[in-house]
């Protein structure tokens, strides 16, 4: 449902914010109170006459007019507690509380706060006595020449004196002559800092900061930084004087420190934080804090914001900045020039007619109104700063030129404006300097930033045998530590092919990492090997750190799913080789298998063996050149609604469904010895990949009516007019892997697979007749025409005697709504999500809740399209309040069953009682043995020969609830806590989903007496 938003304010900043908000599809209407001529009846934007000084009246107005969000522009309402009062009345409001807004409202508070928290700033002292202030000015050991009114003075309460006499006169003007009214009852005298002045703003959700591109304001009235101080005569963004490294330093030492300090002092800072900084030789130092968007900085920041502003505000309010950071336009510069009334910043005339505004807009320039009003159908001036003319171009010089042309086109008699906005940056950019590697197109600093960003991702993939530390010349793996005795190494390499083009076109990069890992890992598995470590190769023309980190972050996450370590990689920036936005990927996986377990076992594969097919997620990563041709013929684009897939999905979203990784599913079965051969269905489809694992004297008989073919293949066949052979030789047709098993083992293996994934007996082997094809697929054309409906072809029994009932269809049914509580990486969460994705699952995960922001588990859920919430336990005064908030979130999503997947908080008794019989936990031992923490250590110390994992209903006593499922894990002679934990974790990833299915499907429930009740007739 579209929202109505109320914008508080009347300046150019508020017009820019309203303009950006109106672009959001989530927004129905933007009301601006009181607004100006530019916000009056302009598309979705209109003005409101509601009183903004009376917060009770304002709250009532919001409720009566269904206002879903209030955005406060200027500082005075923030200091007056507007956010506090509206939120107390149940109205969502963006901006800091009055307590947090003291950072701007009181210069003396702000300076003392910076001292308390070690935030770099100038030497200072505050005074209520003018004589003491002047004495300080004359005796200070540094140039104490900056005099500030401590209170709010509309951005004008600072005087920078040229000498001590002028500074003392400023004290008199402010304190005795009341130049700034009550704002000057206290003055702050500061050291005069030398350097470049910049504005660094960020969004803050109370814990995480997300910096905006740095900007520079121009305070002086006239060109060359001459004339009196003003509220700001123009700005530009980004500032080349602030490198990415310096911005990172500012983010850590100023912005994040400030937000952490406010949280520590009991005033969490939620909103926009503005740091005015001086870039001194000693490093950046804070001149002042503002608690809102700057004006005119906002007018250059909003046109550069690529993300939906409404979504950014909501992510900030919901504490989700860590996982939903705003995205900004790259390789663009914005310049805004302020047009002021003649006489500003002193007295000025109002009511001057303004013309030419529509012509300016036609020049590709934005005009944001400030001091304007409507009069007799025209626009007239009504303030000191009247208009801001903003241009966005590919370079700063071009943007300034366009903005100045726009200013010249405005008819505004006597207007005052500057023509040199950005002159410091242009000087900086045109200084003579020698060539650098960056000038050739290779940015080493960007590469270093990328490595720093992905190090935590790689570290999270550490496993027995290596610690996945990036940064060395090569990676190391210890096969002995991984438990191998007589291993054979197996390697595989692959890419993602033209599927990359779709990801790049759709700006969806993170899932491509799983495609890359899956293609390599699944090949290694085909030899019976356990994937041990992975290396990636990422090449591009120009390194976009955001895109590269998304791709490689996806690689790391997929390595975690596969159970292999991301041991290293290479990022190659090659200017001129790739076009803008293009990149390529390659991957390398190394695994190991004990010599006697190598696949395929060609000597054991024989006539009568059965073939089991394991479901693919879709097209996987092969055949996309043909897919693109079919799309072109059908006149379908990636953004078109998908004629296949789930309702609401686009073609691009369905085609980008990541390739399935089969290692955790298949390794336990491979180790059992029941599988004779395994074919990864990759390039070459079913027809060319299955024979790669078979003796030449055998042929394959497949029956396509025995498995479910995803709708995308039916659509491709029909729209492309593809014959059966082309389909079978190009695509997997719904089978990502095909296994060879002996007839007596088939049902047991099938049940093991179907506990976690869709799988079917799809065919059999027979002696190959002379001249016969090695693979025959029966009923393919008929099954493609029928789509994914259940088997309807009366094919009779297979020649090997397998019953047709092996591929029973499932009747659509209501799924049980599941909520998952996590605290960290979410490996068990991933196993639960994989289970819930299966068409046969009785569970639907509707929300994932973490008590810690920014953890990997939240990203896993977001990538899977599952709603996430953060309920940070540190922000609550009591355990009951914390649990109550979690309970309300669960109720919001109508959750029926709750899974604790690495949730590191003890829940209150009242919470456990409320969710009795609906609350599941997993523990790394065979309960009732080894309860509590360090269960693996307890097992090793006790000399246990077997341990495992237990899924149980949660009771008030720790680890004492009724047991739903258990899986045993042997304790090996050379086991360490780490190696034992790794194997137990693998068991957990099987046991937890199976237990969830039992509960969600009604197969298991908890009786009133606390005992397990088994229902043999349940749907699950």
């Amino acid at each position: 449902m579209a929202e109505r938003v109320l914008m508080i304010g009347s300046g150019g900043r508020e017009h820019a914010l309203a303009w950006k908000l109106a672009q959001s599809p989530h927004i129905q209407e933007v009301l601006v109170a009181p607004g100006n001529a530019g916000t009056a009846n302009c598309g979705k934007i209109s003005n409101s006459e509601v009183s903004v000084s009376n917060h009770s009246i304002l709250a009532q107005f919001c409720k009566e007019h269904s206002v879903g969000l209030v955005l406060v522009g200027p500082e005075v309402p923030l200091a007056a507690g507007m956010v506090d009062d509206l939120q107390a009345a149940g109205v969502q409001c963006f901006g800091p509380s009055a307590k947090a807004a003291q950072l701007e409202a009181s210069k003396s508070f702000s300076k003392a706060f910076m001292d308390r928290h070690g935030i770099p700033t100038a030497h200072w002292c505050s005074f209520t006595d003018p004589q003491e202030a002047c004495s300080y000015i004359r005796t200070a050991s540094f140039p104490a020449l900056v005099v500030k009114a401590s209170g709010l003075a509309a951005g004008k309460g600072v005087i920078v004196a040229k000498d001590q006499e002028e500074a003392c006169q400023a004290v008199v003007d402010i304190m005795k002559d009341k130049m700034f009214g009550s704002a000057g009852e206290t003055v702050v005298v500061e050291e005069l800092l030398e350097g470049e002045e910049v504005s660094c703003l960020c969004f803050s959700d109370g814990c995480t900061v997300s910096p905006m591109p740095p900007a520079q304001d121009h305070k002086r009235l006239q060109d060359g930084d001459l004339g009196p101080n003003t509220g700001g005569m123009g700005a530009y963004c980004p500032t080349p004087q602030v490198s990415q490294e310096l911005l990172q330093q500012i983010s850590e030492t100023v912005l994040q420190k400030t937000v952490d300090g406010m949280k520590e002092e009991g005033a969490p800072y939620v909103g926009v934080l503005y740091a005015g900084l001086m870039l001194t030789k000693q490093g950046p130092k804070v001149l002042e804090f503002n608690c809102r968007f700057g004006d005119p900085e906002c007018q250059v920041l909003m046109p550069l914001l690529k993300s939906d502003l409404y979504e950014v505000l909501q992510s900030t309010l919901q504490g989700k900045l860590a996982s939903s950071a705003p995205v900004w336009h790259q390789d663009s510069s914005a310049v805004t020039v302020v047009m002021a009334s003649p006489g500003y910043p002193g007295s000025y005339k109002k009511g001057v007619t303004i013309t030419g505004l529509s012509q300016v807009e036609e020049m590709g320039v934005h005009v944001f109104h400030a001091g304007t009003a409507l009069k007799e159908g025209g626009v007239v001036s009504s303030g000191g700063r009247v208009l801001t003319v903003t241009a966005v171009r590919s370079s700063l010089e071009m943007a300034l030129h366009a903005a100045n042309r726009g200013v010249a086109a405005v008819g505004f008699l006597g207007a005052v404006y500057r023509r040199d906005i950005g002159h410091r940056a242009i000087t900086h950019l045109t200084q003579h300097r020698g060539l650098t590697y960056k000038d050739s197109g290779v940015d080493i600093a960007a590469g270093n930033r990328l490595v720093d960003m992905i190090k935590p991702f790689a570290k999270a993939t550490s496993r027995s045998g290596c610690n996945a530390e990036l940064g060395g010349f090569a990676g190391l793996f210890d096969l002995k530590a991984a438990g191998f005795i007589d291993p054979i190494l197996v390697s595989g390499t692959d890419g993602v092919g033209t599927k990359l083009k779709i990801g790049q076109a759709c700006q969806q990069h993170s899932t491509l990492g799983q495609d890359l890992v899956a293609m390599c890992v699944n090949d290694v598995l085909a030899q019976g090997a356990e994937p041990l470590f992975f290396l990636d190769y990422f090449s591009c023309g120009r390194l976009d750190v955001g895109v590269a980190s998304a791709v490689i972050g996806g690689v790391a996450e997929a390595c975690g799913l596969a159970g292999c370590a991301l041991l290293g990689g290479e990022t190659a920036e090659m200017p001129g080789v790739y076009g803008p936005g293009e990149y390529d990927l390659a991957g390398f996986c190394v695994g190991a298998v004990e010599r006697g377990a190598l696949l395929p076992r060609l000597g054991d594969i024989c006539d009568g063996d059965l073939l089991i097919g394991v479901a693919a997620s879709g097209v996987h990563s092969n055949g996309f050149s043909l897919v693109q041709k079919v799309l072109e013929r059908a006149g379908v684009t990636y953004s078109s609604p998908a004629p296949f897939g789930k309702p609401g999905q686009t073609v691009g979203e369905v085609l980008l469904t990541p390739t399935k990784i089969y290692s955790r599913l298949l390794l336990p079965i491979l180790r059992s010895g029941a599988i004779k051969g395994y074919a990864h269905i990759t390039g070459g489809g079913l027809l060319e990949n299955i024979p790669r694992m078979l003796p030449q004297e055998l042929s394959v008989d497949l029956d396509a009516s025995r498995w479910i073919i995803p709708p995308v293949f039916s659509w491709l066949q029909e729209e492309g007019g593809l014959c059966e052979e082309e389909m079978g030789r190009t695509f997997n047709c719904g089978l990502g892997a095909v296994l060879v098993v002996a007839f007596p083992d088939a049902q047991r293996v099938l049940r093991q697979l179907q506990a976690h994934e869709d799988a079917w007996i799809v065919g059999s082997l027979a002696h190959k007749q002379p001249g016969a094809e090695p693979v025959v697929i029966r009923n393919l054309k008929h099954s493609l025409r029928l789509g994914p409906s259940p088997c309807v072809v009366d094919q009779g029994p297979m020649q090997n005697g397998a019953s047709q009932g092996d591929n029973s269809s499932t009747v659509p049914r209501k799924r049980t709504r599941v909520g998952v509580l996590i605290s960290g990486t979410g490996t068990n969460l991933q196993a639960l999500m994989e289970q819930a994705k299966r068409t046969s699952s009785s569970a639907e995960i509707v929300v994932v809740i973490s008590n810690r922001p920014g953890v990997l588990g939240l990203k896993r859920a977001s990538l899977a399209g599952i709603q996430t919430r953060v309920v940070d336990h540190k922000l609550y005064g009591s355990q009951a309040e914390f649990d109550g908030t979690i309970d309300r979130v669960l109720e919001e999503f109508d959750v029926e069953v709750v899974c604790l997947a690495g949730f590191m908080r003890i829940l209150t008794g009242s919470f456990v009682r409320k969710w009795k019989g609906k609350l599941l936990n997993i523990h790394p031992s065979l309960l009732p043995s080894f309860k509590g923490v360090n269960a693996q250590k307890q097992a090793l110390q006790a000399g246990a020969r077997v341990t495992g994992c237990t899924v149980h209903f949660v009771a008030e006593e720790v680890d004492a609830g009724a047991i739903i499922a258990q899986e045993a894990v042997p304790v090996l002679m050379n086991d360490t806590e780490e190696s034992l934990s790794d194997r137990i974790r693998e068991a957990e990833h099987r046991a937890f989903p199976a237990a969830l299915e039992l509960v969600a499907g009604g197969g298991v429930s908890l009786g009133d007496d606390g005992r397990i009740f088994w229902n043999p007739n349940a749907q699950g």
Side-chain angles (χ1 to χ4, degrees):
M1 180 179 174
E3 285 272 33
R4 180 175 285 117
V5 175
L6 175 62
M7 178 80 240
I8 304 297
S10 61
R13 166 183 52 216
E14 287 73 36
H15 188 183
L17 290 168
W19 167 83
K20 187 64 180 177
L21 280 169
Q23 297 171 19
S24 171
H26 304 292
I27 299 297
Q28 170 193 351
E29 182 180 18
V30 182
L31 300 174
V32 188
N36 54 44
T39 55
N41 303 316
C42 179
K44 291 182 181 180
I45 308 171
S46 60
N47 290 338
S48 170
E49 297 180 357
V50 63
S51 169
V52 297
S53 58
N54 187 316
H55 298 172
S56 298
I57 293 175
L58 185 62
Q60 188 61 35
F61 172 88
C62 292
K63 292 177 180 178
E64 291 176 355
H65 292 81
S66 301
V67 172
L69 174 66
V70 177
L71 173 57
V72 185
E75 63 274 18
V76 173
L78 293 170
M82 177 178 284
V83 172
D84 309 70
D85 293 341
L86 291 183
Q87 289 184 342
V91 177
Q92 189 179 47
C93 190
F94 183 91
S97 65
K99 190 174 180 182
Q102 289 181 95
L103 281 175
E104 178 175 7
S106 171
K107 300 290 190 299
S108 56
F109 170 86
S110 177
K111 298 293 285 189
F113 173 87
M114 286 186 263
D115 284 352
R116 288 196 297 275
H117 294 280
I119 296 167
T121 188
H123 297 299
W124 69 283
C125 196
S126 66
F127 302 93
T128 55
D129 184 314
Q131 288 185 336
E132 291 180 7
C134 289
S135 176
Y136 180 80
I137 289 169
R138 293 190 176 98
T139 59
S141 59
F142 49 84
L145 300 179
V146 180
V147 183
K148 297 181 177 180
S150 181
L152 297 176
K156 305 184 190 73
V158 180
I159 296 175
V160 180
K162 63 177 180 293
D163 54 37
Q164 292 178 353
E165 291 307 314
E166 189 174 306
C168 288
Q169 184 59 49
V171 170
V172 173
D173 291 343
I174 294 174
M175 302 190 77
K176 288 188 173 181
D177 297 343
K178 304 294 183 185
M179 175 187 286
F180 303 119
S182 60
E185 291 176 357
T186 298
V187 295
V188 171
V189 179
E190 283 188 11
E191 170 191 12
L192 177 64
L193 298 175
E194 294 183 354
E196 194 85 33
E197 188 173 343
V198 295
S199 305
C200 289
L201 291 79
C202 70
F203 292 99
S204 167
D205 61 12
C207 294
T208 301
V209 297
S210 181
M212 305 181 201
Q216 188 173 59
D217 185 10
H218 294 64
K219 289 292 188 185
R220 298 287 186 172
L221 182 70
Q222 299 164 4
D223 286 352
D225 292 325
L226 301 175
N229 246 9
T230 69
M233 293 301 295
Y236 67 94
C237 179
T239 56
Q241 302 92 319
V242 180
S243 64
Q244 282 295 327
E245 292 78 12
L246 182 55
L247 183 60
Q248 182 66 27
Q249 179 187 345
I250 291 167
S251 177
E252 293 171 358
T253 63
V254 175
L255 301 175
Q256 189 64 57
K257 264 193 172 184
T258 301
V259 170
D260 291 344
M262 294 302 289
K263 181 179 175 182
E264 183 183 316
E265 296 192 8
Y269 194 100
V270 178
V272 168
L273 177 63
Y274 171 133
L277 301 163
M278 186 70 78
L279 306 181
T280 74
K281 291 180 180 179
Q282 294 76 39
K285 293 187 178 183
V286 178
L287 298 173
E288 64 173 355
F289 283 123
N290 291 332
C291 294
R292 32 72 191 185
F293 284 100
D295 187 343
E297 289 93 343
C298 187
Q299 290 92 304
V300 288
L301 285 165
M302 287 303 99
L304 293 178
L305 178 62
K306 190 174 183 179
S307 297
D308 183 316
L309 176 59
Y310 177 78
E311 292 179 358
V312 174
L313 299 181
Q314 289 295 341
S315 294
T316 305
L317 290 171
Q318 295 167 13
K320 295 168 66 175
L321 278 180
S323 57
S324 303
V327 178
W328 301 87
H329 288 289
Q330 304 295 320
D331 301 322
S332 294
S333 292
V335 170
T336 193
V337 177
V338 172
M339 302 184 72
S341 296
Y344 175 81
S347 59
Y348 48 82
K349 181 182 177 182
K350 298 181 180 180
V352 178
T353 300
I354 301 170
T355 60
L357 296 176
S358 59
Q359 291 92 320
V360 178
E361 295 286 352
E362 291 171 2
M363 297 164 65
V365 175
H366 306 294
V367 178
F368 297 119
H369 291 236
T372 63
L374 294 175
K375 183 178 180 181
E376 299 175 355
V379 177
V380 298
S381 65
S382 65
R385 291 190 296 173
V386 179
L387 299 170
T388 54
V389 180
T390 303
V392 179
R393 296 293 188 270
S394 59
S395 73
L396 181 62
E397 294 93 333
M398 292 173 65
L400 175 57
H401 179 69
N404 284 339
R405 285 184 61 235
V407 168
V410 176
F412 178 17
L413 187 62
V416 178
Y417 54 89
R418 289 181 60 161
R419 298 164 181 80
D420 68 341
I421 302 302
H423 69 94
R424 291 178 182 272
I426 293 170
T427 300
H428 176 85
L429 291 169
T430 55
Q431 284 177 341
H432 177 73
R433 58 187 177 90
L435 286 173
T436 67
Y437 204 3
K438 188 173 182 179
D439 293 326
S440 70
V442 179
D443 190 342
I444 294 175
N448 291 336
R449 288 199 306 278
L450 175 63
V451 172
D452 289 339
M453 290 176 71
I454 63 178
K455 274 184 177 179
F457 298 144
K459 182 66 175 175
T461 68
S462 296
R463 52 156 292 158
S464 55
C466 76
N467 60 9
E469 289 279 5
L470 299 184
F473 289 101
L476 306 176
F477 194 94
D478 186 339
L479 284 168
K480 187 175 181 181
F484 287 93
I485 299 169
D486 183 23
I488 291 177
L489 291 179
V490 179
S491 66
T493 183
D494 212 329
V496 181
T498 50
K499 188 174 185 178
L500 284 173
K501 290 284 189 183
I502 302 178
Q504 291 161 10
C506 298
Q507 292 292 299
Q508 184 175 326
H509 309 284
S510 57
T511 58
L512 297 172
Q514 179 167 332
D515 290 309
L516 182 67
V517 173
M519 296 301 288
C520 301
V521 163
N522 291 342
D523 278 351
V524 166
L525 276 173
Q527 307 299 142
E530 175 187 352
L532 301 178
F533 60 87
F534 190 87
L535 300 105
D536 68 87
Y537 177 81
F538 179 95
S539 56
C540 59
R542 180 183 178 278
L543 181 60
D544 183 321
V545 174
V547 170
S549 63
V551 173
I552 300 172
V555 169
E557 185 172 356
C559 285
L561 297 178
C564 62
L566 178 56
L567 201 54
E570 170 69 9
T571 301
E573 193 172 14
M574 297 183 284
V577 176
Y578 298 92
E582 292 183 350
Y583 56 84
D584 199 4
L585 281 176
F588 312 88
C589 181
V590 173
V593 57
E594 296 292 354
R595 193 174 301 273
L598 194 65
L599 290 183
R601 301 203 307 269
L602 294 176
D604 292 344
I605 298 174
C606 60
D607 179 10
D609 283 345
L610 298 186
L611 299 177
I612 294 179
V614 185
S617 58
V619 185
H620 280 188
S621 300
N622 297 105
F624 275 89
S625 296
L626 180 56
V627 169
Q628 287 179 317
K629 285 294 183 184
V630 175
L631 293 178
E632 290 172 13
R633 173 184 282 197
V636 172
T637 66
Y638 300 137
S639 60
S640 301
F644 39 80
K646 298 177 182 176
Q649 284 188 301
T650 65
V651 169
E653 287 170 341
V654 177
L655 293 178
L656 287 171
T657 302
T659 308
K660 283 187 176 177
I661 297 173
Y662 296 112
S663 53
R664 292 193 185 276
L665 171 71
L666 292 180
L667 274 174
I669 307 174
L670 291 174
R671 288 167 181 158
S672 74
I675 294 177
K676 300 181 179 183
Y678 161 16
H680 175 206
I681 310 303
T682 178
L686 294 166
L687 295 180
E688 294 190 6
N689 282 290
I690 298 177
R692 295 167 68 181
M693 65 169 171
L694 300 177
Q696 291 187 355
E697 65 271 16
L698 294 179
S699 65
V700 175
D701 174 42
L702 290 178
D703 187 344
S705 68
R706 293 185 176 273
W707 74 85
I708 295 176
I709 299 179
V712 62
F713 295 110
S714 300
W715 185 86
L716 288 169
Q717 189 271 330
E718 181 179 352
E719 291 295 329
L722 306 179
C723 66
E724 287 181 278
E725 182 179 3
E726 195 65 34
M727 290 295 297
R729 197 173 302 281
T730 306
F731 299 116
N732 64 57
C733 296
L735 299 181
V738 174
L739 314 176
V740 179
V741 294
F743 180 79
D745 296 329
Q747 289 300 319
R748 175 174 58 83
V749 172
L750 186 65
R751 282 195 299 272
Q752 287 178 284
L753 291 168
Q754 288 179 337
H756 305 282
E757 185 59 83
D758 289 329
W760 311 268
I761 294 177
V762 296
S764 60
L765 300 180
H767 281 292
K768 183 180 175 184
Q769 300 301 316
E773 292 294 332
V775 179
V776 173
I777 310 175
R778 295 185 287 115
N779 296 315
L780 179 57
K781 187 173 182 180
H782 191 76
S783 298
L784 285 165
R785 193 182 311 123
L786 290 172
S789 56
C791 306
V792 294
V793 181
D794 183 11
Q795 67 228 16
M798 283 190 170
Q799 64 184 35
N800 55 36
S803 70
Q804 189 173 328
D806 293 333
N807 183 27
S808 59
S809 62
T810 56
V811 179
R813 60 196 178 193
K814 178 182 178 296
R815 289 184 166 202
T816 299
R817 296 174 67 83
V818 178
V820 184
L821 307 189
I822 65 169
S823 294
T825 57
T827 56
N828 270 319
L829 165 66
Q830 187 66 45
L832 295 174
M833 292 192 302
E834 290 294 327
Q835 174 65 24
K837 274 196 238 174
R838 296 181 58 215
T839 55
S840 59
S841 176
S842 298
E844 177 188 9
I845 300 176
V846 295
V847 65
V848 174
I849 305 170
S850 173
N851 67 303
R852 294 170 56 204
V855 297
L856 181 58
L858 292 173
K859 184 179 178 184
R860 292 180 190 270
S862 296
L863 288 173
I866 298 171
Q867 291 284 321
T868 62
R869 294 290 187 271
V870 175
V871 182
D872 191 340
H873 62 279
K874 297 178 183 176
L875 302 181
Y876 293 87
S878 68
Q879 181 70 36
E881 184 183 357
F882 169 69
D883 285 5
T885 304
I886 290 179
D887 188 48
R888 285 192 294 276
V889 175
L890 294 172
E891 289 181 347
E892 174 191 346
F893 286 88
D894 297 323
V895 168
E896 299 168 279
V897 171
V898 181
C899 292
L900 307 183
F903 185 64
M904 307 304 291
R905 305 295 299 173
I906 301 297
L907 295 165
T908 58
S910 58
F911 184 95
V912 172
R913 287 191 295 274
K914 174 175 179 179
W915 290 91
K916 180 181 178 181
K918 303 173 185 176
L919 190 59
L920 281 62
N921 184 42
I922 189 159
H923 183 75
S925 77
L926 295 176
L927 293 175
S929 298
F930 312 129
K931 294 183 179 181
V933 297
N934 301 322
Q936 300 91 330
K937 184 177 182 180
Q938 292 182 55
L940 291 171
Q941 289 177 340
R945 297 270 52 86
V946 67
T947 182
C949 62
T950 301
V951 186
H952 62 94
F953 286 112
V954 176
E956 291 186 62
E957 183 184 344
V958 175
D959 298 332
I963 293 171
I964 304 167
Q966 293 183 308
E967 182 169 330
V969 174
V971 181
L972 306 181
M973 293 298 294
N974 60 346
D975 258 335
T976 62
E977 276 188 66
E978 182 181 10
S979 63
L980 181 58
S981 297
D982 287 342
R983 295 205 316 285
I984 292 176
R985 195 175 297 114
E986 291 180 7
E988 288 178 348
H989 296 165
R990 295 186 293 270
F992 210 168
L996 174 60
E997 282 300 325
L998 287 171
V999 175
V1004 164
S1005 59
L1006 188 66
D1008 293 336
D1009 59 357
R1011 295 174 180 271
I1012 290 288
F1013 174 76
W1014 294 89
N1015 178 11
N1017 300 316
Q1019 62 178 7

